[in-house]
Amino acid sequence: MTQYYDQLETRSADQRAADLARDLPRQIARAQATMGMGRTLAGVDASRITSVADLAALPVLRKSELVAAQSEASPFGGFASLKTAEFDHVFQSPGPIYEPGRTTTDWWRMGRFLHASGIGKGDIVQNCFSYHLVPAGMMFENGARAVGAAVLPAGTGQTELQVRAARDIGCTAYAGTPDYLKIILDKADEMGVQLGITKAVVGGGALFPSLRQFYADRGITCRQCYATADLGNIAYESDALEGMILDEGVVVEIVRPGTGDPVPHGEVGEVVVTSLNPDYPLIRFATGDLSAIMEGTSPCGRTNLRIKGWMGRADQTTKIKGMFVRPEQVAAFVSRHEEVARARVVASREGEMDVMTVRIETRATNPALYEGSLLDTLKLRGKVELVPPGTLPNDGKVIEDLRSYE
């Protein structure tokens, strides 16, 4: 296996700037040709947008705008360059939000991440990302195919069967959320089964240092990426483990939350991404995530900018067990129950597992009354704690994250 995925990873700063000056005006023009981005970028001279600094003059596209556009022009809100039937897949994420996908080589650019993690020909990847409606499973399968690895499309759940399949097939790598691999390993220990997994590529949640060390102690190298369903891979770790290197198919800005104004390198702000994917040209798409650009380049030799990784949310939206929980979902739960005054979702950790506790202000005394409604609205199971009206802090928070990311 060669050290780098391609020559793009080791370009000089001057060459990367020259390539961007060529590619960015083309992408802006493609975006303007779509109904959705065309409205956002009306009057913009694409030929004058040739650098990251030039992007700052353009408006930020927020996910709420994308959702609104999709409700008017289903399924992609007029933001895709291709007709719906020209895509290979159409996905539905919570919201609902629809995302396109294709099976062309490394369409989501996950192959670059898997290659940096040492996965390639001869590997068999146990892909435990969901294949049900959401794109994560296909994103990682597409990346595995790009590097020549075979795939066990395992999805989520049925842990005992996962253990047996991993043993029988001889899986050498894992793809999935950070903590599910530990569940598989614990089940394998319980069953007395020895697995051959030595590499793990994870996303969809925080990889805590203690969990990474747990895997290292088991002889498993674990690397994480930062990706979204809309944009594909944005940044990824290499063996250097010094921040996350920006993918070559996106342009990333860090802006002051609530604005489109770039902040100085090193300052924490919201991640805004311009995708260079010609099929789905999202320009200055606000992720809602917080991060910061690091100075210098990675010791691994990859020359693109690095970010510090995921550092929280610019709003109260929080990822728990690999799924986003949004304030509007909490509001939808409260609206279902006249006797509920307020509710607060609390994210915490027990060992290496995410735990969601929902504190509900109500005079009711039976937590079971709310379990089904919470699953319908939040799409996750969690602990239910009933408290008297007036108990929750009057601070405007409906989602509180108590997990430490140090």
Side-chain angles (χ1 to χ4, degrees):
M1 177 182 287
T2 58
Q3 183 175 0
Y4 303 114
Y5 187 66
D6 57 27
Q7 294 180 341
L8 297 179
E9 294 183 348
T10 55
R11 287 178 288 179
S12 68
D14 288 343
Q15 185 61 56
R16 183 172 278 109
D19 290 345
L20 188 61
R22 175 199 64 205
D23 297 338
L24 201 50
R26 295 176 183 173
Q27 188 70 342
I28 298 296
R30 289 190 195 100
Q32 288 177 315
T34 68
M35 181 182 70
M37 289 303 316
R39 286 196 299 257
T40 303
L41 300 176
V44 172
D45 183 351
S47 67
R48 299 178 67 87
I49 309 299
T50 61
S51 68
V52 179
D54 293 335
L55 286 171
L58 305 182
V60 168
L61 173 66
R62 300 214 166 265
K63 184 161 287 195
S64 57
E65 298 173 61
L66 189 59
V67 173
Q70 289 188 357
S71 68
E72 296 175 3
S74 183
F76 305 129
F79 285 87
S81 295
L82 303 179
K83 296 179 181 178
T84 303
E86 293 180 291
F87 287 104
D88 298 308
H89 294 103
V90 178
F91 301 98
Q92 184 198 71
S93 294
I97 298 172
Y98 295 96
E99 299 101 5
R102 300 190 72 187
T103 55
T104 49
T105 302
D106 212 11
W107 195 80
W108 282 281
R109 306 175 313 283
M110 285 294 175
R112 189 177 303 282
F113 168 46
L114 268 63
H115 183 88
S117 301
I119 296 174
K121 290 182 179 180
D123 279 307
I124 303 171
V125 180
Q126 184 166 355
N127 187 3
C128 294
F129 280 105
S130 176
Y131 281 79
H132 178 66
L133 289 179
V134 297
M138 292 305 302
M139 289 169 69
F140 276 79
E141 177 162 322
N142 185 258
R145 294 189 183 282
V147 298
V151 177
L152 167 65
T156 59
Q158 295 184 297
T159 308
E160 185 171 328
L161 289 178
Q162 299 249 17
V163 170
R164 295 186 184 279
R167 178 197 61 189
D168 295 345
I169 295 170
C171 291
T172 59
Y174 163 89
T177 55
D179 52 10
Y180 188 55
L181 176 57
K182 184 176 187 300
I183 294 175
I184 291 175
L185 295 173
D186 288 345
K187 176 60 71 172
D189 290 346
E190 179 185 314
M191 296 167 62
V193 172
Q194 182 70 35
L195 299 183
I197 294 173
T198 60
K199 307 164 190 174
V201 286
V202 303
L207 174 59
F208 293 89
S210 58
L211 186 56
R212 194 200 294 268
Q213 187 59 52
F214 171 84
Y215 294 142
D217 292 342
R218 300 278 298 237
I220 300 172
T221 299
C222 186
R223 301 287 179 262
Q224 63 182 326
C225 72
Y226 168 43
T228 74
D230 316 275
L231 299 160
N233 194 24
I234 298 170
Y236 60 97
E237 288 183 331
S238 71
D239 286 343
L241 290 179
E242 292 190 13
M244 304 183 82
I245 303 159
L246 297 185
D247 184 78
E248 302 297 336
V250 293
V251 180
V252 171
E253 302 169 83
I254 305 295
V255 307
R256 191 159 286 106
T259 77
D261 302 331
V263 300
H265 287 193
E267 186 173 327
V268 176
E270 184 177 9
V271 179
V272 170
V273 180
T274 293
S275 169
L276 299 179
N277 184 336
D279 300 331
Y280 198 42
L282 298 177
I283 308 298
R284 298 203 87 202
F285 186 76
T287 64
D289 294 323
L290 297 175
S291 193
I293 291 177
M294 301 172 63
E295 296 292 347
T297 57
S298 174
C300 72
R302 293 172 176 86
T303 56
N304 209 345
L305 292 174
R306 297 169 297 162
I307 57 175
K308 292 185 177 180
W310 187 81
M311 300 178 70
R313 292 288 292 176
D315 56 20
Q316 291 184 42
T317 300
T318 301
K319 188 173 285 187
I320 306 173
K321 301 179 182 178
M323 295 287 288
F324 281 119
V325 179
R326 306 178 188 278
E328 53 266 34
Q329 291 174 284
V330 182
F333 163 75
V334 172
S335 68
R336 288 191 178 193
H337 304 278
E338 292 184 359
E339 76 282 7
V340 172
R342 288 188 294 168
R344 187 183 187 103
V345 172
V346 180
S348 59
R349 299 279 287 178
E350 287 185 2
E352 299 296 349
M353 301 294 123
D354 282 349
V355 175
M356 182 179 76
T357 302
V358 185
R359 304 186 69 202
I360 302 170
E361 281 193 0
T362 178
R363 297 191 185 282
T365 58
N366 183 9
L369 293 173
Y370 302 106
E371 290 174 354
S373 181
L374 282 170
L375 183 60
D376 286 344
T377 52
L378 303 186
K379 310 303 181 184
L380 288 171
R381 297 187 187 278
K383 300 178 180 179
V384 178
E385 180 181 344
L386 306 184
V387 300
T391 300
L392 296 179
N394 186 25
D395 56 8
K397 282 188 178 181
V398 295
I399 302 174
E400 183 178 11
D401 194 348
L402 299 180
R403 297 168 294 185
S404 172
Y405 295 91
E406 297 298 324

